Amino acid sequence: MPVAISLENLTVTYRRHPALHHVNGDFEHGSLTAIVGPNGAGKSTLLKSIMGQVRCNSGRVITHAAIGRIAFLPQQAEIDRSFPISVLDCVMLGYWKRAGLFRRISGEMVQRAEDALAAVGLGGFAQRSIASLSVGQFQRVLFARILLQDAELILLDEPFSAIDTKTTNDLLRIVQSWHAEKRTVIAVLHDYEQVRRAFPQTLLLARNVVAWGATEQVLCHENLHRARAMAEAVDDHAPLCAVEVADGVNGVEHA
């Protein structure tokens, strides 16, 4: 299978303590992969490393998607919802990477944005303020924005956290449709039963790779026990990591 992302000896540190340690492996093109593991395992750090938002202290990330064809959904806690913007305008930010800030918005583009809102169950919400939405409604808005991006690589950080079951199931169906369209989707998740039901591939992290492959093989009792033991053994007072990052280098390459 063609490769969408390659991780080569990836190490990321915070205050010179490793958050990811010598991670190696490939995400296949068109794969649907869950990233799971204990708290502090480096799951969100891995997504931010792929996006180039954190620096790699050693190793590298090679992505085979054009920069403009990557969509990233951060955790909601990292998004400022106080900015006075309508639901429709928020969704149309999905055009930004391809169209830029100053391209004229056509009627066709507006219609596509309204269609995306309808697809996530928010028809009629276009003129509402994003600040007026519930957590689940705002997550639907963010998924609608991804629909407009037409991304070939989609990264989701805890996309179903703190939302109701109906919203989760609706958004999972969208994720499944992306997978059917051969887009590469990677999601940080905590619900192992949800992963078993909906995600064919799983990466189990505990700062190091514990297991990576078919979900039914990765999420076995032995691997989960090993991940917990590795997380509990982490000593934040251990000697500092000797690896240093080169100035201005984030370790991300686009093939």
Side-chain angles (χ1 to χ4, degrees), residues 18-188:
L20 292 170
H21 200 245
H22 301 298
V23 175
N24 290 282
D26 298 324
F27 293 95
E28 293 180 351
H29 174 75
S31 59
L32 175 56
T33 306
I35 302 177
V36 302
N39 290 337
K43 302 182 293 295
S44 295
T45 298
L46 178 54
L47 292 192
K48 291 176 180 178
S49 299
I50 294 170
M51 288 299 298
Q53 294 182 357
V54 297
R55 287 183 173 182
C56 306
N57 293 72
S58 70
R60 60 180 181 166
V61 178
I62 304 173
T63 64
H64 296 270
I67 295 175
R69 299 293 305 282
I70 302 174
F72 175 49
L73 179 64
Q75 296 179 26
Q76 279 211 33
E78 299 179 11
I79 300 174
D80 181 7
R81 290 178 56 190
S82 65
F83 190 78
I85 187 173
S86 72
V87 166
L88 182 63
D89 287 340
C90 184
V91 171
M92 289 199 297
L93 290 173
Y95 290 126
W96 177 74
K97 283 189 178 179
R98 288 180 296 140
L101 286 176
F102 303 108
R103 176 179 169 180
R104 179 178 173 275
I105 299 298
S106 67
E108 180 183 355
M109 295 168 76
V110 173
Q111 185 60 56
R112 285 189 59 214
E114 292 177 343
D115 290 345
L117 281 171
V120 300
L122 290 182
F125 278 67
Q127 299 310 315
R128 289 184 57 173
S129 165
I130 62 170
S132 70
L133 303 180
S134 69
V135 172
Q137 288 169 339
F138 186 57
Q139 199 72 338
R140 290 174 185 265
V141 169
L142 298 177
F143 268 68
R145 187 168 70 184
I146 293 175
L147 288 174
L148 292 191
Q149 290 182 251
D150 190 30
E152 59 182 279
L153 171 60
I154 301 169
L155 309 176
L156 309 171
D157 195 354
E158 300 188 22
F160 312 121
S161 178
I163 62 177
D164 61 88
T165 301
K166 183 182 186 309
T167 300
T168 296
N169 291 336
D170 289 346
L171 298 182
L172 264 174
R173 281 192 285 272
I174 293 175
V175 169
Q176 296 287 345
S177 73
W178 289 332
H179 180 47
E181 294 166 352
K182 305 300 183 184
R183 304 177 195 269
T184 306
V185 184
I186 304 169
V188 169

Side-chain angles (χ1 to χ4, degrees), residues 195-218:
V195 172
R196 289 186 175 99
R197 290 194 308 269
F199 288 77
Q201 299 289 313
T202 297
L203 165 57
L204 177 57
L205 275 180
R207 303 195 184 191
N208 301 78
V209 174
V210 179
W212 191 347
T215 295
E216 67 273 15
Q217 297 173 6
V218 170

